[in-house]
Amino acid sequence: MTKTNKIIYWIATLWLSLGMTSTGIVQLLRMKGEVEFILDLGYPDYFLTLLGLTKLLAVVAILIPRFPLLKEWAYAGLFFMMSGALYSHIAHHNTIKEIAPVMLLLLLISVSWYFRPMDRKLISVNFSK
């Protein structure tokens, strides 16, 4: 892994972790604006607990060393969660101002996953030989 790739990975991963941690905490604390927002999208308020806890656990899984399979699941979970959020915002006809943070998090998830070091990747086995 080149030095440039390491820098890209850590910048994307740290920004991703910061974004997911901050929104996860806001969701777990059920801050008034967040509750109103989730209800406005049509979801029950208890959904905030699931989203917040999942985000925090995924950040821990991505940042800790080893456990590449767990990291794959964490990246996939965050990607599907943010894809669902993007779809919800678009279906609700939200403005680009409300959609842009979700798109940024999707980009950070993708960049962090793509540039992750070899020791954070699953080893693929080719059974065709």
Side-chain angles (χ1 to χ4, degrees), residues 23-24 26-30 34-35 37-55 77 80-86 88-89:
T23 56
V26 165
Q27 289 168 335
L28 281 175
L29 293 177
R30 294 174 176 242
E34 193 69 16
V35 172
F37 189 68
I38 202 83
L39 292 174
D40 189 46
L41 285 175
Y43 296 103
D45 65 341
Y46 64 80
F47 201 55
L48 289 172
T49 304
L50 175 66
L51 293 174
L53 187 60
T54 304
K55 286 179 181 181
F80 294 136
M81 184 187 307
M82 290 298 103
S83 296
L86 179 62
S88 293
H89 285 290

Side-chain angles (χ1 to χ4, degrees), residues 58-109:
V59 167
V60 170
I62 289 170
L63 292 178
I64 62 173
R66 298 188 198 96
F67 308 107
L69 181 61
L70 184 62
K71 290 179 192 318
E72 289 292 324
W73 280 95
Y75 278 116
L78 290 176
F79 186 83
F80 294 136
M81 184 187 307
M82 290 298 103
S83 296
L86 179 62
Y87 181 78
S88 293
H89 285 290
I90 291 170
H92 198 258
H93 304 291
N94 286 349
T95 65
I96 191 68
K97 181 181 174 186
E98 294 165 314
I99 295 172
V102 175
M103 292 181 355
L104 175 61
L105 287 170
L106 275 167
L107 176 66
L108 290 172
I109 291 164

